[in-house]
Amino acid sequence: MLRKKTNGVARRPQRTSILSEVAGKSVDRRAFLRGSGLAIGGLAAIGATGGTVTQASAQNAADQAVETVKSVCTHCSVGCTVIAEVQNGVWTGQEPGWDSPFNLGAHCAKGAAVREHAHGERRLKYPMKKEGGAWKRISWEQAIDEIGDGMMQIREESGPDSVYWLGSAKHSNEQAYLFRKFAAYWGTNNVDHQARICHSTTVAGVANTWGYGAMTNSYNDIHNSRAIFIIGGNPAEAHPVSLLHVLRAKEQNNAPLIVCDPRFTRTAAHADEYVRFRPGTDVALVWGILWHIFENGWEDKEFIRTRVWGMDQIKEEVAKWTPEEVERVTGTPGSQLERVARTMANNRPGTVIWCMGGTQHTNGNNNTRAYCILQLALGNMGTSGGGTNIFRGHDNVQGATDLGVLSHTLPGYYGLSKGAWAHWARVWGEDPEWLAGQFDTLEGADGKTKSLQNLTGIPVSRWIDGILEDAENMDQPNNVRAMVLWGHAPNSQTRMTEMKTAMEKLDMLVVIDPYPTVSAVLQDREDGVYLLPACTQFETYGSVTASNRSLQWREKVVDPLFESKSDHEIVGLFAKKFGFHDRMFRNIAIEDDGVTPNVEDTLREINRGMWTIGYTGQSPERLKLHMENQHTFDRTTLQAVGGPADGDYYGLPWPSWGTPEMNHPGTPNLYDMSKPVSRGGLTFRARFGVERNGDNLLAEGVYSQGSEIQDGYPEFTMQMLMDLGWDSDLTAEERAAIEAVAGGPDNIGSVNWKTDLSGGIQRVAIKHECAPFGNAKARAVVWTFPDPVPLHREPLYTPRRDLVADYPTYEDKKFYRLPTMYASIQKNDFSKDYPIILTSGRLVEYEGGGDETRSNPWLAELQQDMFVEINPRDANNLGVRDGAQVWVEGPEGGKVKVMAMVTERVGAGVAFMPFHFGGHFQGKDLRDKYPDGADPYVLGESTNTAQTYGYDSVTQMQETKATLCKIMPA
């Protein structure tokens, strides 16, 4: 029996920071850098002060005053607060945020080492270009001029879509928004970021199930869970601080922890029930659990009747997945899944957690919908302790997704339709005709001319093919000729041998990043490569969105180091160069330099346009107030108890409806009808119409607390307000704004809650305690997807040829501008020559592509070798010893030379490699190709060199979790 030993909050140290106690000689930046190992017993701190500790004088104490600055960790999506200690403009120490309801005074290894990023010796220090095969230092002015002139020439010759703008989950919300807006003003939808290759299948699958594609509850709400089901996630390493919240539920509620993973992870070590299954069989596994739930009548029948559509079709599919068939496909015994089903049924509410182990598959959208359907069947949605707690990866991948750094949508998930562009043109005060004129056109198969403004761009997962594919096969006039990798690690993408070829074919390759990244060394170009130093997020300020939809405000810790610039200043420089700076920032204040957009004003413009998901109530002033008063927020509910933010939920988790003046408190748990909408309650979104084949799609007799419409209802429009007689609640100013959107009073009824720039429709709906987006049923069947009912489909590179006939992949098709292969790959049997399943994942020491973390000496020391995990049976059969060098080769020919780790973490026939390494390529060390002094301390092979082709059927998510390989002694 587990017993509670603490209150779940990390203990505050009894001593103050060593820097506040040690007084001595003044510290200049150079001396500090020489002795910056403050974490080691304080000895380096003493060394940094000259090697002696002397009594402080009053003047000395004043010189040595320590300023504390509150920021947010730049690694994963938990959103841990970092308290930076700054002296004379130098970041000298840090503490975790003791008042933060997210990290509760704790840090993981990465979070504890973030100070190094702000004075890292391996940073990219000044703009550089490759000339004659050598790196050459240049000025910012020269860089912007040369890059800008080259891009304008490419645009003139091949159109705006021949330049690809690849954004970042490391940008703040304001920078991400400006990046997407910048791409619109350049005239392309060839813009994307890391979300495409981590959780795009989550966003698509979840949003198409119940309306919004985000984490429904929060890390903190897991405290209320009676069961925890984790599949395809390893939070102990990927989100270490989140495990505080998981283990609190396990300890205090005696909540059983179930971990489903092909690999026995550090998270699995905490599990009450560990379920090993074959990679790529998630749908079969979940249907196997649901088979027992339906067979025993354990589903929540009333919840399904009132709030779910299509569960009868799910039952028909699940009935095929008998325990015997599930074991045949997944390898998991039916008796174990019966135990899992019984545990989930007997311990409600339970939460389901997943990460990239579930998303990075050719049928990843099926996986994420299956997880949702499991929760709908159990009635675990819209309740505290339940929900789908989707752990996002990077610190602002949620925000960058919300702000539309994607090739298929504008900010706020508005899409790319004519109406969507009209909405954002109104927000920007832009002439929609001028904006449309920035885009190229394409003649379709039907002979009609189409604007590329309304067509999805190439996703980041396929930018390689945007360069290499025959232009005649693409839905854009010409190939990509220039790539801008703005805060992106290319080694996080598959098919790196082809990536190298693509980089070398480009006219121009531009990297904008605090570090050179693998982009600087993978290719063998002699020229045409530019490296521009962006500063870290600790050298600028702005908002960032944690995985639970809460926004936090970062303050600037130090000024940009070396010659680095903030990302929004760089956007301003390019906008100036391309001649649309005045248009793009007409409603945003510009700093004294005449270039840089003001961050607070940028957020206010976001507030004026992001009505769909309620990014409208989070003004800079409200976010700063929350950060200043973190101590007033409850550690479980996240609600402020008294204080200046009384009643608000921490970070105003979206949707925070209406204008900031409405003071909506935010929505802590999506779809929770136990609260009024005005106080954070919500229904399922009426996003899919009101009926389907004669079936009602609206909720049946259930509604949020206090709702004046006591049944299901569609999304709100002005016409609906008039029909209800509620339009009289609008102010004259609101009505005038609605008429302006409608183009006059005659069409006023067509304006809806998403396009009303006054927020009046939302305000009036909420005044009557109704959700602006309606009250509908979640849909278990998505009729617009390739598989309306989620189906198991074998991976393209499957070892189970006996299952291909029963569970084939998709037919080849063309979408996102590119031909995409499925069946033409799967028809080939690679399993005889490549018999081992290859999967990948995270390590606790590193993050993402690893450029930042492998350049951090404190983290680099912890993990110095790239490796492959091999089961002892496979190792013995292959003649491989633990610690030996081996080759891992994929069926497309890419191979990596790594160290063997012989372990039972992986089952027989499965191998695992982490994806954080780079700087080696197919056995070759590329260290000498980095600019002097900018090479990471630790280099290694990228697992993605051996990873293969494969993309999700809805989002083009890359397949990294279920390919094949062969392993040989090196």
Side-chain angles (χ1 to χ4, degrees), residues 150-163:
M151 288 184 175
M152 291 298 284
Q153 183 177 345
I154 291 171
R155 180 191 177 96
E156 181 69 24
E157 294 171 355
S158 303
D161 291 287
S162 288
V163 179

Side-chain angles (χ1 to χ4, degrees), residues 74-76 110 170 393-394 842 845-850 853 916:
T74 55
H75 288 303
C76 83
K110 293 187 288 286
K170 294 301 185 193
H394 291 289
R842 294 176 182 263
E845 298 89 355
Y846 296 141
E847 198 244 356
T853 43
H916 309 297

Side-chain angles (χ1 to χ4, degrees), residues 184-437:
Y185 273 67
W186 170 261
T188 187
N189 292 322
N190 279 344
V191 56
D192 217 18
H193 82 292
Q194 289 90 346
R196 178 74 55 187
I197 54 175
C198 62
H199 271 289
S200 63
T201 46
T202 290
V203 176
V206 176
N208 278 281
T209 299
W210 46 56
Y212 284 151
M215 188 180 201
T216 61
N217 293 40
S218 67
Y219 296 109
N220 301 68
D221 186 67
I222 297 170
H223 303 174
N224 298 310
S225 299
R226 298 293 170 180
I228 305 159
F229 181 93
I230 301 177
I231 183 167
N234 182 17
E237 297 205 64
H239 307 81
V241 173
S242 73
L243 212 65
L244 287 175
H245 303 291
V246 171
L247 295 181
R248 177 165 170 175
K250 180 176 165 67
E251 182 178 321
Q252 294 189 171
N253 304 342
N254 201 25
L257 173 59
I258 301 160
V259 175
C260 304
D261 202 292
R263 177 172 171 258
F264 188 79
T265 62
R266 293 186 182 183
T267 304
H270 292 278
D272 298 282
E273 184 86 50
Y274 167 61
V275 180
R276 195 191 291 277
F277 66 104
R278 178 167 65 93
T281 61
D282 298 59
V283 173
L285 187 87
V286 174
W287 283 177
I289 295 168
L290 270 177
W291 187 91
H292 292 286
I293 290 170
F294 291 143
E295 188 76 7
N296 291 282
W298 294 336
E299 72 271 26
D300 188 329
K301 298 177 180 62
E302 182 61 13
F303 183 90
I304 292 169
R305 184 188 70 81
T306 58
R307 301 195 70 185
V308 182
W309 179 85
M311 192 63 82
D312 53 337
Q313 295 179 56
I314 300 298
K315 285 185 176 182
E316 291 176 12
E317 175 63 23
V318 167
K320 305 171 187 176
W321 289 94
T322 63
E324 296 74 24
E325 184 63 3
V326 172
E327 184 167 2
R328 181 173 84 98
V329 172
T330 68
T332 306
S335 58
Q336 184 177 30
L337 294 187
E338 193 274 342
R339 191 163 61 243
V340 169
R342 185 181 298 275
T343 300
M344 293 292 289
N346 288 341
N347 295 276
R348 303 187 219 195
T351 189
V352 169
I353 297 167
W354 73 83
C355 299
M356 298 194 311
T359 63
Q360 292 182 328
H361 297 272
T362 52
N363 67 335
N365 72 88
N366 285 352
N367 293 346
T368 61
R369 287 187 292 136
Y371 308 151
C372 294
I373 290 164
L374 174 63
Q375 287 293 74
L376 291 171
L378 290 167
N380 280 335
M381 291 308 303
T383 183
S384 181
T388 52
N389 282 311
I390 303 141
F391 288 8
R392 300 300 299 262
H394 291 289
D395 61 309
N396 201 36
V397 70
Q398 183 63 58
T401 306
D402 297 337
L403 274 302
V405 186
L406 297 161
S407 65
H408 64 276
T409 188
L410 287 164
Y413 309 97
Y414 276 84
L416 296 174
S417 67
K418 188 174 181 180
W421 282 103
H423 168 75
W424 281 107
R426 284 191 291 269
V427 175
W428 297 335
E430 189 53 82
D431 175 4
E433 294 302 317
W434 178 88
L435 205 55

Side-chain angles (χ1 to χ4, degrees), residues 473-541:
N473 298 330
M474 299 167 59
D475 286 340
Q476 69 177 46
N478 294 289
N479 291 98
V480 172
R481 293 176 54 191
M483 274 297 301
V484 182
L485 292 99
W486 200 326
H488 179 81
N491 51 312
S492 62
Q493 292 184 241
T494 57
R495 300 167 58 204
M496 287 187 65
T497 55
E498 292 170 271
M499 184 187 296
K500 179 178 184 296
T501 303
M503 285 182 170
E504 291 165 356
K505 188 178 177 184
L506 287 166
D507 291 35
M508 182 189 297
L509 175 63
V510 181
V511 177
I512 306 176
D513 200 279
Y515 296 85
T517 77
V518 172
S519 297
V521 299
L522 177 63
Q523 35 70 32
D524 289 324
R525 298 178 65 101
E526 291 291 308
D527 50 33
V529 184
Y530 292 85
L531 306 179
L532 305 184
C535 68
T536 71
Q537 290 299 319
F538 297 114
E539 298 152 70
T540 182
Y541 68 103

Side-chain angles (χ1 to χ4, degrees), residues 37 68 105 224 291 317 399 406 413 440 524 541 548 579 735-736 788 829 875-876 887 910:
T68 59
N224 298 310
W291 187 91
E317 175 63 23
L406 297 161
Y413 309 97
D440 215 335
D524 289 324
Y541 68 103
N548 73 307
R735 185 178 290 271
D829 183 0
N876 291 336
W887 286 103
V910 177

